[in-house]
Amino acid sequence: MTAKERIDELRVKKGWSLNRLAEEIGLTNSAVYSWYRKEGYSPSIKSIERACEAFEISLTEFYSCVDTESMDINETLLMDSFRKVPPEEQEKVLKIVKIFEES
């Protein structure tokens, strides 16, 4: 399962339309619709984090159903490296990643 398929699964469980999903995670309708209409488009980590907040689940819960086979090598390496970081330090890593997202 890809990240957008996981979001869609959670959205359907909540009974939300795509418009409602966009509203709940603070994105435009066109941004959310592009995940489904344009090949190669997928949610950013920031959008996934927002979706997790809206669905009231952790990133771990979210990714427990995502097919890691669909990830490219850099995504896989990043996840493997993150798992090796002590739990008490993982929040620091996430903050660093968010800084890069915003630049």
Side-chain angles (χ1 to χ4, degrees):
M1 178 179 301
T2 65
K4 63 184 165 187
E5 289 169 338
R6 177 70 168 138
I7 288 174
D8 211 39
E9 175 186 67
L10 295 165
R11 175 189 69 80
V12 169
K13 282 183 183 177
K14 287 273 194 182
W16 294 351
S17 65
L18 289 175
N19 292 342
R20 172 84 185 271
L21 173 65
E23 182 182 310
E24 292 288 336
I25 62 178
L27 294 176
T28 63
N29 292 343
S30 62
V32 171
Y33 277 88
S34 70
W35 300 342
Y36 301 94
R37 283 192 252 152
K38 297 181 180 178
E39 192 170 324
Y41 276 70
S42 60
S44 68
I45 186 65
K46 191 170 189 170
S47 297
I48 292 169
E49 288 172 344
R50 289 178 177 176
C52 288
E53 288 175 18
F55 295 129
E56 299 176 333
I57 62 170
S58 68
L59 280 172
T60 302
E61 290 171 291
F62 179 85
Y63 281 112
S64 66
C65 294
V66 172
D67 178 12
T68 55
E69 298 290 322
S70 66
M71 293 182 174
D72 69 27
I73 188 67
N74 288 330
E75 291 171 313
T76 303
L77 290 171
L78 183 60
M79 285 189 66
D80 288 342
S81 295
F82 184 77
R83 289 180 180 144
K84 294 175 186 172
V85 174
E88 63 275 5
E89 300 295 324
Q90 289 180 352
E91 187 62 35
K92 292 177 185 175
V93 173
L94 292 173
K95 287 180 182 179
I96 292 168
V97 170
K98 286 178 185 180
I99 289 169
F100 283 107
E101 282 180 3
E102 295 168 1
S103 62

